[in-house]
């Protein structure tokens, strides 16, 4: 009655099987499959299911455990959209490679590896399906916005970039900044892993390594010294300066001051 008393043990069985390198015994596997077939997972709260999925996706290499869950029909029991018919192996491998690339940048920036893999696991789901899954497994509020709003916005940008003709010029740095700044690191890494176009990977990489933390050299005190009184105009000035800096139109403080004087002080 082990799996009947606590159906979360089916997730733990898979997690420990893959982490420790053993094979679940035939009789135990039969009982595990029976618990899934008899829908004992429906007795679990969404938050308990989410916690077990989180622990699996937080493993150093979650792919073997995810493949095993698909094999056992465990994920399909959680949500009908997770039936394993859509190939996910290649995307998981690419996600792992992308995460390793980011780790090697030594930026010191923390990010949630498991969330990158969750995005990859659900990459084939549409917006309605993703929202339904988030509700079913009680995804915490702080992640729902990433998995629905940011994911949708990121996929829209990705489609836009992938449709660009090969001969077309690269997008402006200021456009990359505008499109990608609202997205968390996990979504950016997911998009890098998802795209099959090398040039799109390079654009996302360029934003993450060079553009993301760019900012104007001038500050509010500098503008005051130039005779510009504080007010809403400051935001417009800083936006203009940032855009010019991103696009290489200004590179020094002197350049920035000349731009401001030319545009706002004449």
């Amino acid at each position: 009655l082990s799996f009947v008393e606590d159906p979360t043990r089916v997730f733990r069985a898979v997690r420990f099987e893959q982490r420790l390198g053993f094979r679940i015994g035939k009789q135990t596997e039969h009982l595990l499959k029976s618990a899934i077939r008899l829908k004992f997972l429906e007795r679990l709260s969404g938050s308990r299911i989410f916690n077990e999925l989180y622990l699996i996706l937080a493993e150093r290499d979650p792919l073997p455990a995810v493949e095993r869950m698909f094999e056992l029909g465990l994920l399909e029991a959680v949500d009908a959209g997770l039936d394993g018919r859509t190939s996910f192996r290649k995307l998981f491998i690419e996600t792992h490679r992308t995460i390793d690339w980011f780790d090697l940048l030594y930026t010191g920036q923390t990010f949630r590896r498991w969330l990158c893999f969750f995005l990859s696991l659900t990459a084939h789901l549409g917006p309605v399906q993703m929202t339904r899954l988030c509700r079913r497994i009680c995804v915490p509020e702080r992640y729902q916005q990433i998995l629905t709003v940011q994911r949708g916005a990121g996929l829209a940008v990705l489609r836009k970039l992938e449709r660009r003709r090969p001969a077309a010029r690269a997008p402006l740095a200021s456009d990359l900044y505008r499109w990608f700044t609202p997205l968390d690191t996990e979504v950016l890494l997911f998009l890098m892993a998802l795209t099959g176009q090398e040039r799109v990977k390079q654009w996302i990489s360029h934003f993450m390594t060079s553009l993301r933390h760019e900012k104007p050299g001038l500050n509010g005190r500098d503008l005051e010294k130039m005779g510009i009184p504080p007010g809403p105009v400051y935001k417009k000035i800083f936006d203009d300066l940032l855009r010019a800096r991103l696009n290489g139109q200004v590179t020094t403080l002197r350049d920035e001051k000349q731009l401001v004087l030319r545009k706002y002080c004449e």
Side-chain angles (χ1 to χ4, degrees):
L1 297 176
S2 180
F3 296 130
V4 177
E5 292 171 349
D6 184 0
T8 59
R9 288 171 178 154
V10 300
F11 294 98
R12 280 176 235 153
V14 170
R15 177 157 51 95
F16 291 133
E17 177 192 50
Q18 299 307 313
R19 182 195 293 177
L20 302 176
F22 63 83
R23 184 76 178 181
I24 295 173
K26 289 185 179 180
Q27 178 64 12
T28 303
E29 185 171 320
H30 173 73
L31 295 171
L32 188 155
K33 288 180 177 178
S34 295
I36 296 173
R37 186 176 65 255
L38 295 172
K39 300 183 178 181
F40 285 118
L41 290 181
E42 292 183 1
R43 301 179 182 180
L44 291 173
S45 67
S47 58
R48 295 188 70 192
I49 293 175
F50 171 79
N51 187 61
E52 294 300 329
L53 290 176
Y54 158 76
L55 290 171
I56 287 173
L57 295 175
E59 293 283 317
R60 176 63 189 170
D61 182 11
L63 177 58
V66 171
E67 288 183 316
R68 187 74 159 121
M69 286 194 291
F70 275 125
E71 178 189 332
L72 295 168
L74 181 51
L75 288 174
E76 188 175 5
V78 172
D79 187 280
L82 301 176
D83 57 13
R85 283 180 292 187
T86 302
S87 176
F88 62 93
R89 180 179 176 80
K90 180 180 178 182
L91 180 54
F92 257 63
I93 292 172
E94 191 60 35
T95 299
H96 207 307
R97 184 178 296 122
T98 304
I99 288 172
D100 287 344
W101 163 81
F102 189 69
D103 281 338
L104 288 174
L105 292 179
Y106 299 110
T107 63
Q109 181 181 342
T110 60
F111 68 102
R112 295 152 292 205
R113 297 171 57 92
W114 71 268
L115 192 50
C116 299
F117 287 115
F118 191 94
L119 285 161
S120 296
L121 177 65
T122 55
H124 63 288
L125 298 183
V128 174
Q129 291 174 301
M130 176 63 96
T131 300
R132 180 190 67 197
L133 175 61
C134 287
R135 289 174 179 167
R136 166 67 184 99
I137 63 174
C138 298
V139 173
E141 190 76 27
R142 62 187 180 277
Y143 303 129
Q144 285 194 34
Q145 196 267 353
I146 297 173
L147 294 171
T148 55
V149 178
Q150 285 197 33
R151 172 184 181 264
L155 289 173
V157 172
L158 189 66
R159 287 191 290 268
K160 181 190 300 185
L161 291 175
E162 289 179 336
R163 285 197 298 265
R164 294 176 76 92
R165 295 189 303 273
R169 64 174 176 80
L172 291 173
S174 57
D175 287 335
L176 293 177
Y177 185 93
R178 177 166 51 87
W179 294 331
F180 291 136
T181 293
L183 306 181
D184 282 12
T185 297
E186 295 85 358
V187 178
L188 293 168
L189 293 175
F190 162 64
L191 296 176
M192 277 190 74
L194 183 62
T195 184
Q197 296 187 18
E198 192 61 33
R199 62 177 186 158
V200 177
K201 287 183 188 289
Q202 291 172 355
W203 293 334
I204 301 174
S205 169
H206 180 49
F207 167 76
M208 296 183 73
T209 57
S210 302
L211 306 180
R212 192 176 202 176
H213 303 293
E214 190 67 82
K215 59 183 181 180
L218 295 178
N219 57 39
R221 289 190 299 275
D222 295 321
L223 297 183
E224 282 191 76
K225 290 177 182 178
M226 295 172 68
I228 303 174
V233 70
Y234 275 27
K235 182 181 185 309
K236 183 172 181 3
I237 293 174
F238 290 135
D239 287 345
D240 284 346
L241 289 175
L242 177 59
R243 190 180 307 110
R245 185 170 280 275
L246 287 167
N247 293 333
Q249 295 164 337
V250 300
T251 56
T252 65
L253 281 177
R254 179 184 175 84
D255 293 339
E256 289 191 9
K257 288 179 180 179
Q258 289 178 341
L259 186 152
V260 173
L261 290 170
R262 183 173 65 251
K263 192 168 183 180
Y264 293 95
C265 297
E266 290 182 355

